[in-house]
Structures are given as C-alpha cells and as structure tokens.
Amino acid sequence: MTGKPTLAVVGATGAVGVVMLQILSQRADIWGEIRLIASPRSAGRKLAVRGEEIEVVALSEDAFDGVDIALFDVPDEVAAQWAPIAVARGAVVVDNSAAFRLDPEVPLVVPEVNPHAVRTRPRGIVANPNCTTLTMIVALGALHAEFGLRELVVSSYQAVSGAGRAGVDTLRAQLSLVAGTELGTKPGDVRRAVGEDTGPFPDPVALNVVPWAGSLRQDGWSSEEMKVRDESRKILGLPQLPVAVTCVRVPVITTHSLTVHARFQGEVTVDGAREILATAPGVVLCDDPAAGEFPTPADVVGTDPTWVGRLRRALDDPTALELFVCGDNLRKGAALNTAQIAELVAADFC
Amino acid sequence: MTGKPTLAVVGATGAVGVVMLQILSQRADIWGEIRLIASPRSAGRKLAVRGEEIEVVALSEDAFDGVDIALFDVPDEVAAQWAPIAVARGAVVVDNSAAFRLDPEVPLVVPEVNPHAVRTRPRGIVANPNCTTLTMIVALGALHAEFGLRELVVSSYQAVSGAGRAGVDTLRAQLSLVAGTELGTKPGDVRRAVGEDTGPFPDPVALNVVPWAGSLRQDGWSSEEMKVRDESRKILGLPQLPVAVTCVRVPVITTHSLTVHARFQGEVTVDGAREILATAPGVVLCDDPAAGEFPTPADVVGTDPTWVGRLRRALDDPTALELFVCGDNLRKGAALNTAQIAELVAADFC
C-alpha cells in the first residue's frame, strides 16, 4: 500500500464518535481520507474533523469501499453484523462493542499493555476493551510486568456518560430537579421528585449511587462486572486470574474511578510501585495526600492518561497494593484507545 | 435505682444530635428526664423531644448532676475532656467520638453483634463505632458468626452528612451552581464553577467523587480507613483480621454505601448467606437484580436497618462473598446505635 490509509468512523454521531473526531483532530495526522459513517437518519449531517466539515454517509456495504481501517462504535448487534462486511470489503475493523472481545480469533488490545497482539487478527477484527477495564488496565499492566499479578478486587464509581448521551441527559435533568431543594433526607424523596422515568438507569442517579451497570448475567453478576473480569484476564494473558468486581454508577458526567486491591506474586513496596507508575507510558501518578493530591473525575475529565493515586501497601498483606484510579471513559476508555489501536494497525500498512 | 433513668444528650444541636432527638421520640420511652446539653452558644434554644419542648443547657460539670446515662456526640477533644467529668458525676457515658473507641478499657458496642461487651466498662464509658464501620458490621457480624471471617476488602461511597452540616451545606450549594449547566466535561470546569471554598472536603463533591475522608495517617492511609479496620477488628473480636479499605466521598446527602469482599474460613454459598441475612436482626436483604432490586441511598435514607444487596459468591474463590450494603449514617451509623447502647445500659439499671 502506498500513501496514507483511509479511515472510516462508524457511529460518528454517537457520544464516543464525537470524542473520536476530537481525538483524530488532536493526534498526529497519519490518515488520508477520513470517512464518517452513521445510521441513515444521521446521514447528511456535517461534522468537523481535522478542521474541515465532512458529510456523514449512511451505513452500507459500499460505504466501506476503499477503507483501510474502520473504527466501529455502535451497539453490539450492529457491530456483529457489519464488522465482517467491512472486513470483506477490505478494511481492518477496530471494534469498540462487546461483540468480538472474547472471540479467541480477535485480539483485545491496549497499546501500552499488549501492542503485539494487534498483529494476529485472523478475522480482520481487533477489539477495544470496555471502558471500565480500560480505566485500570494500563496501570495494572505496568505493575503486572514487574510484580506478577495474582488477584484483583475492584469496585467502580462509573460516570453516567458510560450509558451514552441518554445517561448524561438523565443526570442533568435530575440535577435540575433536586438542586435548591432539601431532598435526599427521607426514604424515596429523590425518587418521587425525579419521577418514574429514570432513563438508562434502574434508579435515580442524582444524590444517589446505583450498584448496577449493564444487564443481568448468571448468579447475580452484571454484564459490566463480567466484562472487567474476562477482559482483564485476556489483555493481561492471565486466563485464571481471580477477579472480583462490583460496578456502581455515580452522579459524575464523565470519568470512571476504580478502587483496586491488587495482590502480586511476592512482596511489593510502595516505592517500587511508585517508580514503575511514574515512568509507565499513559500513566500519571498523582499521589500526595499530605498536599491534598489525589485524582478525582473533576480534574481528570478531558485528559488522556490513567491517573493513579492513594497508593498504599495493604497493612495486613505485604503482597497487596491499594490504588484509586481515574480515567476519562470516553477518551482512554473508548475513543482514544480505539484510535491508538488504529495507529498500530496503520503502522503495519505503511 | 428506682424509677426511670435520666438521660442527657450532649451535642443535642448537631447533625447527629437532631436525629438523636427524633429517634428518642420514636423508640419505646424508657427514659425519665431527658436533658439536652450543648455548647454555651446553643444554650437557651428549645428543641422538641417526645412531643415536648426542652431548653438546651450549657455544657458544665453541674449539667451532669443526676444524669444516669449521657450520650455524647461532640468532637473528639471535647469528648476526651468531658466524658470523664460526666462519669465522675455518676453517669455512664455512651460516646460517639473516636476518643475512646480503641481504649482497651472501653467496650466498642454494636448491640446486634457484641451486646454483652457493654457490661464490662471499667472507665464508665461505652464507645459507639464510626459510621462507616457501622454501615457493614451488623451484616458482617451475622455472617461471621456462621462462617468465620478471614479477610475484608472494603470500598466506601460515603455521604456528605458524614462531615456534618457543613458537608450537606457544601454539596447543596455546589449542586445549585452546577445544575442546569454543561459542566463536568472539561478538566477543572466544576472546580472553577464552585470556587476555591470546598467546605470540609479537599475537592468539589458535586459531579465528582473524592477518595478521601478524615485526616492523614501513616503511609498514606486516611483516619477513616484506619477506623474501619481497627474498629471492625475490635467489635468482631478478631484482632488480626486483615482489612483493606479505601474511603471515597460521593455526592449523596445521607446514607453510606460500601462494597465488601469478605473471605471466610471455608466454602460459603449464596443460599446459606441469604438465609442468615434474611433472619439477622437489623438487616434487610434487598437482592433481586432480575426485578431491579438492590439497595440505594435514595431509598435507604431515613430507615434504621442495614440493607444488603448484590450478594454473590466470588467466581474464583468459593470462600468469598461480594456484598453491597447501605445504611443511614446518621441513624444506625450514629444516633440509633448510640440510643441502642443506652437502652442496653439502662436495662441493667432497672
């Protein structure tokens, strides 16, 4: 192949798609044509990327003609149907749905952790992990490379934009109803104020936390919790890693946070872990509680790295570390990692 | 002693004190006189308890004359000074500060877990645990009695009223500033909108989560995290129990939530755990994710029990359970447990 590769963004008008266009406009411009593809009802809209307005075209087989790499951010069932079509038309697909993540013939890639996996893609598809997995996996990958991971216990504090625009609209509408009131002190008072329609969430999310994300899987686990376990194992190449996860939605617009209790093969020290995290690509260590420094979503949102703070060694287990990590779920958690994978694939083209 | 015991409430005008007066008005009326004590600047105010208005008296040595039991909800240093004075004047003190909780001569009591501990009080003081410990300890005490606890990994989702009225006022003021805006999508935009004064929290708490509660202890641990570890060990009578905790503040007015990864001596089953929790005093099992049922602060606030949901056995460890627990931090987390301890003490008087 000669010249710059042609890139397609499928789902260009969604919450992640919009961030993808910003990211493509900010990163080194390695692309020839950038084609924007969305559902027929969005076709004809014009969106800005790299400083120029591009008209969105409707998803169709022909839309992939001449495309070298296609980034998909669409629902699972749309990806399952259309990714193989794009591949058949000659594109490599980088897919951000759950449709292919656990397929043994599809690599699940985080460029800072397992970049070489991108080269073995017998189906022509590379999968992008779930946003919650991505919040912690760059930091954990660096620590695993040094210490050897043995177990994870994870709790999430997930932003509403993980549920798309509907999630953001729901929280904003609920906040307008509860701000300036005395609500939040009597059973059900917030629920009555926000009404029956709680959007994509099973309960009110303003002035509340909701211990649920995704759909119901076996034995009471949520799909989101299973994704964090299954995807972390695959990315780290540790298929037997014990992973216990509880996912909780919190009233934050964008940026997921996680508490992580990570046990390693042998003794670890905070100084040793600091040294690794301070130099790990894609990680910012923000950890000086004496100075009031730890990451929070309000400061992390809109940035690219994984932010790590509250680093401590477990008091009762010299092989375990405690971490609090934050990452923008629309950037590294979705669009940025997808773009990074596409750049890895493109490097092979050139 | 004959007749009904005289009760004093010290700190009657604080956030917990106000809830205490509600609780004393709701529970079986075993008390003779109820005397309200507060700082001199609150003296003379009238507050309702058991349907009658009572004038607040200023804290002084004489204020404890004739008092059988004194409930303290005041800062640590005030409790450290005044509890021994109340004892010297003949009262048994039930103290909700951290001043005496780890004193080996002061029992730390949760009536559903270790009621008999209340009887051995060589200093005349009984301590009430921290609100975060109390959020989980009733449910864990019941499970421990059956299965034998071996390890805890805990993450908190703590309400702002844990930081008193200033915490509530801070969140309400910040919510009024961010509601109806597009804030929460750019680094620092919430921080700029709410201004420099973040009240009792180190960072904005609206549209944010803050991984910090309390003051700095050794090796990066917060005082709140140390309390959960130390107090859980003492209440359960397991001085060597490994406990790893990360405490995080969330934008909820009242009701703390915790995720708990609890390892036991041997294999556990969800059915076995359900059976215990369904009949444990002070616990409500609210766990039917297929029906969208799990506890959230919005529904739990204002209620007395510990609510338990999301009960699962760890997929990779048949000895571990995952739980999501919620409890009103001002009721069971503070005033209610204090009142229950006072009732236990009073039962010995009569």
Side-chain angles (χ1 to χ4, degrees):
Chain A
M1 199 190 112
T2 57
K4 291 180 165 184
T6 294
L7 183 76
V9 178
V10 185
T13 58
V16 172
V18 166
V19 175
M20 178 64 80
L21 302 192
Q22 294 167 6
I23 284 172
L24 290 172
S25 305
Q26 291 160 351
R27 293 179 72 82
D29 183 13
I30 64 164
W31 306 107
E33 182 193 351
I34 292 182
R35 195 174 301 173
L36 307 185
I37 301 176
S39 64
R41 75 169 185 282
S42 294
R45 282 180 58 186
K46 287 191 172 173
L47 297 173
V49 59
R50 297 186 298 187
E52 69 184 291
E53 296 276 308
I54 300 184
E55 189 170 314
V56 176
V57 301
L59 180 61
S60 73
E61 299 199 11
D62 294 346
F64 294 102
D65 279 347
V67 171
D68 295 299
I69 301 175
L71 311 183
F72 275 63
D73 193 276
V74 294
D76 294 357
E77 62 280 9
V78 178
Q81 180 188 348
W82 285 92
I85 292 170
V87 171
R89 291 274 170 150
V92 173
V93 169
V94 184
D95 179 42
N96 189 30
S97 83
F100 301 101
R101 286 181 189 145
L102 300 183
D103 184 327
E105 297 199 314
V106 173
L108 182 64
V109 176
V110 180
E112 295 88 343
V113 181
N114 62 343
H116 302 302
V118 81
R119 293 194 166 163
T120 309
R121 45 177 195 253
R123 297 193 60 180
I125 301 171
V126 180
N128 191 66
N130 167 274
C131 52
T132 309
T133 308
L134 274 167
T135 303
M136 67 178 183
I137 204 72
V138 176
L140 288 180
L143 293 171
H144 168 60
E146 183 73 19
F147 298 132
L149 203 53
R150 195 163 55 121
E151 187 182 5
L152 289 174
V153 181
V154 177
S155 296
S156 77
Y157 303 69
Q158 296 188 226
V160 295
S161 64
R165 287 186 178 171
V168 175
D169 292 345
T170 296
L171 175 57
R172 296 232 191 258
Q174 291 179 354
L175 284 179
S176 291
L177 293 169
V178 304
T181 72
E182 294 295 307
L183 293 164
T185 61
K186 296 191 182 72
D189 64 356
V190 168
R191 187 182 292 278
R192 284 187 294 276
V194 307
E196 297 265 311
D197 181 6
T198 53
F201 310 115
D203 292 295
V205 71
L207 292 180
N208 206 17
V209 300
V210 181
W212 192 259
S215 53
L216 182 61
R217 293 289 181 269
Q218 217 168 347
D219 298 326
W221 293 87
S222 73
S223 56
E224 188 82 355
E225 290 156 354
M226 295 303 295
K227 286 175 185 175
V228 174
R229 174 171 173 263
D230 295 341
E231 296 177 18
S232 297
R233 289 171 154 198
K234 182 169 176 174
I235 296 161
L236 296 170
L238 295 170
Q240 307 299 324
L241 185 72
V243 184
V245 192
T246 300
C247 287
V248 180
R249 191 76 65 181
V250 297
V252 165
I253 300 292
T254 293
T255 293
H256 289 352
S257 306
L258 276 65
T259 60
V260 181
H261 174 81
R263 290 172 68 214
F264 297 92
Q265 297 294 343
E267 277 203 24
V268 290
T269 64
V270 166
D271 285 347
R274 273 179 186 281
E275 207 170 306
I276 291 159
L277 294 171
T279 56
V283 175
V284 173
L285 185 63
C286 171
D287 186 27
D288 185 356
E293 282 185 13
F294 21 75
T296 78
D299 294 319
V300 166
V301 60
T303 70
D304 286 347
T306 298
W307 294 67
V308 181
R310 300 300 325 281
L311 186 63
R312 291 149 292 154
R313 189 167 85 167
L315 290 163
D316 308 307
D317 180 353
T319 72
L321 292 173
E322 316 299 326
L323 305 86
F324 182 80
V325 296
C326 293
D328 185 314
N329 53 299
L330 300 179
R331 294 181 73 90
K332 185 60 182 177
L336 173 61
N337 199 70
T338 306
Q340 287 175 296
I341 294 172
E343 291 167 7
L344 278 183
V345 173
D348 284 342
F349 275 102
C350 303
Chain B
M1 200 189 110
T2 58
K4 291 180 167 185
T6 293
L7 183 77
V9 179
V10 185
T13 57
V16 172
V18 167
V19 175
M20 178 64 80
L21 302 192
Q22 293 167 7
I23 284 173
L24 291 172
S25 306
Q26 291 160 351
R27 294 180 71 82
D29 183 13
I30 64 164
W31 306 108
E33 183 194 351
I34 293 181
R35 194 174 303 172
L36 307 186
I37 301 175
S39 65
R41 76 169 185 280
S42 294
R45 281 181 58 187
K46 288 192 173 174
L47 296 174
V49 58
R50 296 185 301 187
E52 71 185 290
E53 298 276 307
I54 300 183
E55 190 170 313
V56 175
V57 300
L59 181 60
S60 73
E61 299 199 11
D62 293 346
F64 294 103
D65 279 348
V67 170
D68 296 298
I69 301 176
L71 312 182
F72 274 64
D73 193 275
V74 294
D76 295 356
E77 63 280 9
V78 178
Q81 180 187 347
W82 285 92
I85 292 170
V87 171
R89 291 274 169 152
V92 173
V93 169
V94 184
D95 179 42
N96 189 31
S97 83
F100 302 100
R101 286 180 189 145
L102 301 183
D103 184 326
E105 296 199 314
V106 173
L108 184 63
V109 176
V110 181
E112 295 88 343
V113 181
N114 62 342
H116 301 303
V118 82
R119 292 193 167 165
T120 309
R121 44 177 197 254
R123 296 193 63 181
I125 301 170
V126 181
N128 191 65
N130 167 273
C131 52
T132 309
T133 307
L134 274 167
T135 304
M136 68 179 184
I137 205 72
V138 176
L140 288 180
L143 293 171
H144 169 59
E146 181 73 19
F147 298 132
L149 203 52
R150 195 163 52 122
E151 187 181 5
L152 288 174
V153 181
V154 177
S155 296
S156 77
Y157 302 69
Q158 297 188 225
V160 295
S161 64
R165 286 187 179 168
V168 175
D169 292 345
T170 296
L171 175 57
R172 296 228 190 261
Q174 291 180 353
L175 284 180
S176 291
L177 293 170
V178 304
T181 71
E182 294 295 308
L183 293 163
T185 61
K186 295 191 183 73
D189 64 356
V190 168
R191 186 181 293 278
R192 284 186 293 275
V194 307
E196 296 265 309
D197 181 6
T198 53
F201 310 116
D203 292 295
V205 70
L207 292 180
N208 207 17
V209 299
V210 181
W212 193 259
S215 53
L216 181 61
R217 293 288 180 269
Q218 217 169 349
D219 298 326
W221 293 87
S222 73
S223 56
E224 188 84 355
E225 290 156 354
M226 295 304 295
K227 287 175 184 176
V228 174
R229 173 171 173 263
D230 296 340
E231 296 178 17
S232 297
R233 288 171 154 198
K234 181 167 176 175
I235 297 161
L236 296 171
L238 296 170
Q240 306 299 323
L241 184 72
V243 184
V245 192
T246 300
C247 288
V248 180
R249 191 76 63 180
V250 298
V252 165
I253 299 292
T254 293
T255 293
H256 289 353
S257 306
L258 304 175
T259 59
V260 181
H261 174 81
R263 290 172 68 214
F264 297 92
Q265 297 294 345
E267 276 203 25
V268 290
T269 65
V270 166
D271 285 348
R274 274 181 185 280
E275 207 171 303
I276 292 159
L277 294 171
T279 56
V283 175
V284 172
L285 185 63
C286 171
D287 187 27
D288 185 357
E293 282 185 13
F294 21 76
T296 77
D299 294 320
V300 166
V301 61
T303 70
D304 287 346
T306 298
W307 295 67
V308 181
R310 299 299 325 281
L311 185 64
R312 291 149 291 152
R313 189 167 84 168
L315 290 162
D316 308 306
D317 180 353
T319 72
L321 291 173
E322 315 299 326
L323 304 86
F324 182 82
V325 296
C326 292
D328 185 314
N329 53 299
L330 299 180
R331 294 182 73 89
K332 184 61 181 176
L336 173 61
N337 199 71
T338 306
Q340 288 175 296
I341 293 172
E343 291 167 8
L344 278 183
V345 173
D348 285 342
F349 276 102
C350 304

